[in-house]
Amino acid sequence: MSDQIQGKSLINGKWVTGSEGSVSGFNPATDEALTPEISLLGAEQLDQATAAAKDAFASYRATTPEERAAFLDDVAEQIEARREDIIARATQETGLPEARLTGETSRTSNQLRLFAKVLRHGNDNSVRIDPAQPERQPAPRVDLRQRRVPLGPVAVFGASNFPLAFSTAGGDTASALAAGCPVVFKAHNAHPGTSEIVAQAINQAINNQGLHPGVFNLVFGPGAKIGQRLVSDPEITAVGFTGSRTGGMAIFHAANQRPIPIPVYAEMSAVNPVFVLPGALDDSAALAEGFFGSVTGSAGQLCTKPGLLFLPVGEAGDKFVAELSEHFNNSHGQTMLTKNIADAWLDATQKLRSQSGVRVAGEGTTGEGRNAPAPVVFETDLATFESNDVLEAEMFGPASLVIRYSSADELISVIGGLEGQLTATFRAAESDFQDVEALLPHVEDIAGRILFGGWPTGVEVGHAMVHGGPFPATTNGATTSVGTLAIERFQRPVAYQSFPESLRPAPVQDANPWNVPQVYDGQF
């Protein structure tokens, strides 16, 4: 179904050859270069993409919710029509298994449809109306009406570990388009062919719906150089990013050094602690199996992978460690996304190996190819962990650290010393409820999503999900990059005072032609 991959950027509806040379994608399982080569844009070409997005903004923001919803539905249909091509190419570029990519393709199209439902419901307008009260004493009240409006063109950066759901038509793009914002998407060079096929799907939907071609632009370029210029471009009004802390902070600082700073919603770094309380060890075998699966699934390359597990000392905890060690000792390495990611993981785990008071509790064997390192789990005690900041560092890949503690009271100070996290998990039984209740307020201070039972890998896309957290999990812990609340990142509130009905925007009219929810004088 897809057009042939050309290795070109998409600017204002046209496929453009870059002027700054080219790079190749690689198959991480074989280290073989993939064809075609990907041409990289120069600065002036990037400026054409942002100018196209700016040109598209006026007409795109004027579309009705139903028109934008129909567009998002069409994008989902176009992606699904290209499903086989997408999965075939993504498998080559990422080394991820077909089953994982099949699920991720469905997640990508489903979240587009979810935002279409949000638009049809109209709750994203967040309408509040305080009607005039001319008889109020001692002073009359004016008529005030509030809604949310789109910010303008948004820059989105593709993630390395999700070639679909956090990439070309992923959550940041879907929420920005739903908000009424054109998108300039900076593709990740680790999966360029996949990005281009999905961009073909979006472009087809733009043509089908008769939208301005600048509503979506796909750009390839040297990572840091083109990224810095994109974030600094005066036409860009917000940024969505998923990646490393180094990359996220570079973008954040660039955005704040602009003459007019813009919001950056960067998801960066987390170790997602798991707090195992004594009652959970009654079934230590199932607990060990579940933890192992969460740490090693997708080669440990999930931003919600549990990198720390706090475990009681004693025989029950020892039994858990023995069972967990067996899982790791019998494991084999899976191909990681890129050589750079595999090398960074090896550096991080070697650093942990060299720390005093840390031991290897279990380790598997390497897989095929040099980019499939052996999964490993470490163990240490609470005093060692609290005295060494190195032990909290993220190891992006199939590794984790078990920390032994003596009592739940000790965890309060530990939690207070942890950095911001995307998730935190309690594994506990009813006999532990009092301890969970005492720890919960402290965990709320550091995490965006808190689980009771289960494992943090696997993020439900829905209305109540929060995929965010305090720094450094994200640069803005007040919002989320997954779920329908994400649309608010690319909007801002505007109040209209004393406007006649004929001049009021549709969502705040008394006639309410879009039939959106309205909070009228404080009541729905």
Side-chain angles (χ1 to χ4, degrees):
M1 176 66 189
S2 69
D3 299 331
Q4 184 178 1
I5 297 173
Q6 305 174 73
K8 297 180 179 180
S9 296
L10 177 66
I11 300 176
N12 206 28
K14 297 180 180 179
W15 296 100
V16 177
T17 300
S19 61
E20 292 294 310
S22 62
V23 296
S24 295
F26 282 85
N27 183 330
T30 62
D31 273 343
E32 293 176 337
L34 298 172
T35 57
E37 291 189 347
I38 310 301
S39 67
L40 305 177
L41 294 182
E44 292 183 0
Q45 292 176 309
L46 177 64
D47 293 347
Q48 293 171 9
T50 58
K54 177 64 174 179
D55 288 343
F57 180 48
S59 61
Y60 189 57
R61 69 173 295 178
T63 55
T64 66
E66 177 55 39
E67 288 170 335
R68 290 203 300 280
F71 169 48
L72 295 179
D73 281 342
D74 198 347
V75 175
E77 291 177 8
Q78 297 301 326
I79 288 173
E80 291 180 345
R82 294 163 173 79
R83 176 185 290 269
E84 291 185 4
D85 292 336
I86 289 171
I87 293 172
R89 183 68 181 196
T91 301
Q92 289 182 313
E93 292 183 328
T94 67
L96 293 171
E98 182 177 332
R100 152 70 193 273
L101 292 168
T102 298
E104 193 180 331
T105 304
S106 295
R107 173 177 167 175
T108 303
S109 57
N110 288 341
Q111 66 189 2
L112 286 160
R113 292 192 173 102
L114 180 63
F115 279 108
K117 291 179 180 178
V118 169
L119 291 171
R120 291 187 172 106
H121 182 264
N123 197 47
D124 63 294
N125 290 276
S126 298
V127 174
R128 301 173 180 226
I129 298 175
D130 294 337
Q133 294 178 352
E135 306 302 325
R136 191 185 68 173
Q137 296 296 327
R141 185 174 79 176
V142 297
D143 185 279
L144 279 171
R145 295 163 187 253
Q146 181 191 116
R147 68 155 176 163
R148 301 183 72 85
V149 300
L151 294 178
V154 171
V156 174
F157 289 76
S160 64
N161 60 334
F162 279 88
L164 297 162
F166 280 85
S167 190
T168 317
D172 288 341
T173 296
S175 54
L177 293 175
C181 299
V183 168
V184 179
F185 178 77
K186 165 64 176 67
H188 198 287
N189 289 342
H191 39 78
T194 307
S195 297
E196 185 178 328
I197 296 172
V198 177
Q200 293 169 10
I202 300 173
N203 192 48
Q204 183 62 58
I206 287 173
N207 293 334
N208 292 347
Q209 302 299 318
L211 300 175
H212 189 297
V215 164
F216 177 84
N217 301 270
L218 168 76
V219 299
F220 292 107
K225 181 179 178 181
I226 207 78
Q228 291 287 321
R229 187 173 182 90
L230 179 58
V231 173
S232 301
D233 192 294
E235 307 297 1
I236 297 299
T237 61
V239 178
F241 172 89
T242 300
S244 68
R245 189 189 304 199
T246 300
M249 290 309 298
I251 289 172
F252 178 79
H253 289 312
N256 281 283
Q257 290 168 1
R258 294 170 39 137
I260 302 176
I262 57 174
V264 173
Y265 300 103
E267 179 207 311
M268 300 182 294
S269 174
V271 292
N272 307 298
V274 176
F275 302 100
V276 176
L277 297 176
L281 292 172
D282 290 344
D283 190 358
S284 60
L287 190 71
E289 182 179 7
F291 180 64
F292 169 77
S294 190
V295 171
T296 60
S298 295
Q301 299 166 117
L302 300 176
C303 48
T304 53
K305 182 210 73 177
L308 301 176
L309 183 141
F310 292 88
L311 179 73
V313 299
E315 291 184 6
D318 293 344
K319 181 183 177 185
F320 170 84
V321 172
E323 291 164 336
L324 183 63
S325 298
E326 186 174 354
H327 284 292
F328 274 89
N329 289 337
N330 293 328
S331 68
H332 301 278
Q334 304 170 52
T335 299
M336 300 188 76
L337 292 159
T338 67
K339 178 182 181 299
N340 288 341
I341 290 175
D343 288 346
W345 181 86
L346 285 170
D347 288 343
T349 53
Q350 289 295 343
K351 190 172 185 179
L352 200 61
R353 291 175 194 270
S354 69
Q355 303 303 308
S356 176
V358 177
R359 77 176 187 94
V360 174
E363 185 170 14
T365 57
T366 58
E368 295 183 8
R370 66 176 181 178
N371 297 325
V376 60
V377 62
F378 301 91
E379 184 182 18
T380 191
D381 59 78
L382 193 64
T384 300
F385 178 79
E386 289 192 290
S387 64
N388 189 345
D389 291 341
V390 171
L391 305 192
E392 192 186 341
E394 182 181 24
M395 296 179 288
F396 190 70
S400 192
L401 173 66
V402 175
I403 305 106
R404 308 297 294 272
Y405 70 91
S406 298
S407 70
D409 292 340
E410 293 179 323
L411 294 177
I412 293 177
S413 63
V414 173
I415 294 168
L418 292 176
E419 294 185 320
Q421 306 293 334
L422 292 169
T423 75
T425 302
F426 287 107
R427 297 303 303 243
E430 188 172 352
S431 58
D432 304 309
F433 278 12
Q434 186 173 349
D435 287 333
V436 173
E437 188 175 6
L439 295 172
L440 183 57
H442 302 279
V443 175
E444 288 174 338
D445 289 340
I446 66 163
R449 175 167 59 107
I450 306 171
L451 295 80
F452 186 90
W455 301 104
T457 42
V459 181
E460 182 70 25
V461 180
H463 301 292
M465 176 52 65
V466 173
H467 188 63
F471 183 88
T474 68
T475 51
N476 189 324
T479 185
T480 177
S481 64
V482 177
T484 58
L485 183 65
I487 195 172
E488 294 188 0
R489 297 174 299 164
F490 307 121
Q491 299 172 321
R492 63 180 178 84
V494 174
Y496 305 84
Q497 182 171 323
S498 302
F499 267 61
E501 175 76 354
S502 62
L503 293 179
R504 292 169 183 157
V508 297
Q509 290 177 12
D510 288 333
N512 196 6
W514 290 354
N515 194 32
V516 302
Q518 295 178 328
V519 176
Y520 192 88
D521 207 11
Q523 301 292 322
F524 279 101

